[in-house]
Amino acid sequence: MAVVVGYVPTPEGRAALRRAAQECQLRNTRLVVINSNRGGKELDAVEAAAYEQELEAVRSELDGAGIAHEVRQLVRGLEPAEDLIAVAEEIAADFIVIGLRRRSPVGKLILGSNAQRILLDAPCPVLAVKAEG
Amino acid sequence: MAVVVGYVPTPEGRAALRRAAQECQLRNTRLVVINSNRGGKELDAVEAAAYEQELEAVRSELDGAGIAHEVRQLVRGLEPAEDLIAVAEEIAADFIVIGLRRRSPVGKLILGSNAQRILLDAPCPVLAVKAEG
């Protein structure tokens, strides 16, 4: 049993991580944090270093909370949806936690294609969390 | 604290209810089951009676499992998304559980507008569950 969370350093990514950590404490299960990045031109060295620093902070936060965890930074040319689903299948995840952006100010529906793919194709339930406020 | 579940007598509706009941047992919280129906011409007397029977079965199942619950059959001309969000706000739900249909055989994305609205506009996290197999 494990919970998988898709993590990016945004308000909704942090909200997803926080909620996933709470769910792991409640269930006494381990947390697998996935930071998925297509890599290639989109990821330069400065950005990669910043990500590494963010993930290091995540690791020590989870250590502090006593939550068994694993952080995987995946840069293998896949979309985040593909990476998350593959890991969820591999470890037979209990569920996946993802962050969702709120509606845009004009109220447009902005459920991204990655979120839709995860919701529809995940082998397990998906908990969708929005950023606070 | 309570969990809200949108219930319809379909495979995905039953999967959502089952998962919501498990989450309530884990958290020791109460379950609010919402069966939302626009009413009007869409709901004839035979269908309404069938729904009532299904909901009665749900009630006794939850009774048997010892889960504190409340079943609300809402027929007030609103979309299911509106009803679920209104109840979640009213009772400050911990999260909402919804059932999602799987992809169609041709693989088309079929995340319905009600599901999208709940995911984007709910005041709390949303757990999306698919039917088994």
Side-chain angles (χ1 to χ4, degrees), chain A residues 19 23 26-27 94-95 100-101 103 109-111 116-117 119-122 125-128 130, chain B residues 19 23 26-27 94-95 100-101 103 109-111 116-117 119-122 125-128 130:
Chain A
R19 181 69 185 220
E23 293 294 330
L26 182 66
R27 290 155 210 274
D94 190 36
F95 57 93
L100 291 185
R101 244 170 281 151
R103 270 178 197 269
L109 285 171
I110 46 163
L111 200 52
Q116 293 212 27
R117 286 176 69 180
L119 287 159
L120 288 168
D121 294 339
V126 177
L127 184 65
K130 286 185 290 292
Chain B
R19 180 69 185 221
E23 294 294 329
L26 182 66
R27 290 154 210 275
D94 189 36
F95 57 93
L100 291 185
R101 243 169 282 152
R103 269 178 199 271
L109 285 171
I110 46 162
L111 200 53
Q116 293 212 28
R117 286 178 68 182
L119 286 160
L120 288 167
D121 294 339
V126 177
L127 184 64
K130 286 185 290 291

Side-chain angles (χ1 to χ4, degrees), chain A:
Chain A
M1 288 261 295
V3 171
V4 173
V5 61
Y7 176 71
V8 277
T10 59
E12 56 273 15
R14 290 189 192 98
L17 179 63
R18 202 158 37 236
R19 181 69 185 220
Q22 287 166 3
E23 293 294 330
C24 285
Q25 284 185 312
L26 182 66
R27 290 155 210 274
N28 200 23
T29 55
R30 112 192 130 95
L31 180 58
V32 179
V33 181
I34 304 296
N35 175 245
S36 168
N37 201 302
R38 283 183 65 85
K41 281 183 226 155
E42 286 169 34
L43 185 72
D44 66 22
V46 176
E47 212 185 327
Y51 261 59
E52 191 38 58
Q53 209 168 11
E54 273 268 5
L55 291 177
E56 198 46 55
V58 166
R59 279 186 199 101
S60 39
E61 228 174 277
L62 293 172
D63 272 336
I67 296 167
H69 65 278
E70 188 186 321
V71 177
R72 298 194 196 174
Q73 190 167 20
L74 302 178
V75 185
R76 45 187 196 182
L78 298 180
E79 294 294 336
E82 295 170 307
D83 271 332
L84 275 174
I85 289 170
V87 172
E89 275 167 358
E90 178 202 322
I91 66 171
D94 190 36
F95 57 93
I96 296 174
V97 185
I98 60 171
L100 291 185
R101 244 170 281 151
R102 291 184 172 277
R103 270 178 197 269
S104 68
V106 289
K108 224 185 123 207
L109 285 171
I110 46 163
L111 200 52
S113 65
N114 263 298
Q116 293 212 27
R117 286 176 69 180
I118 295 165
L119 287 159
L120 288 168
D121 294 339
C124 56
V126 177
L127 184 65
V129 177
K130 286 185 290 292
E132 265 108 68

Side-chain angles (χ1 to χ4, degrees), chain B residues 16-98:
Chain B
L17 178 63
R18 200 157 41 236
R19 180 69 185 221
Q22 287 166 3
E23 294 294 329
C24 285
Q25 283 183 311
L26 182 66
R27 290 154 210 275
N28 201 21
T29 54
R30 114 191 128 96
L31 180 58
V32 180
V33 180
I34 303 297
N35 176 246
S36 168
N37 202 301
R38 283 185 63 85
K41 280 182 226 156
E42 287 169 33
L43 186 72
D44 65 22
V46 177
E47 213 184 328
Y51 262 59
E52 191 38 58
Q53 209 167 12
E54 273 269 4
L55 291 178
E56 198 47 53
V58 166
R59 279 186 199 99
S60 42
E61 230 175 275
L62 293 172
D63 272 335
I67 296 168
H69 64 277
E70 188 185 323
V71 177
R72 299 194 196 175
Q73 190 166 18
L74 302 177
V75 185
R76 44 187 196 183
L78 299 180
E79 294 295 334
E82 296 170 307
D83 272 332
L84 274 174
I85 289 171
V87 172
E89 275 167 358
E90 178 202 323
I91 66 170
D94 189 36
F95 57 93
I96 297 174
V97 185
I98 60 171

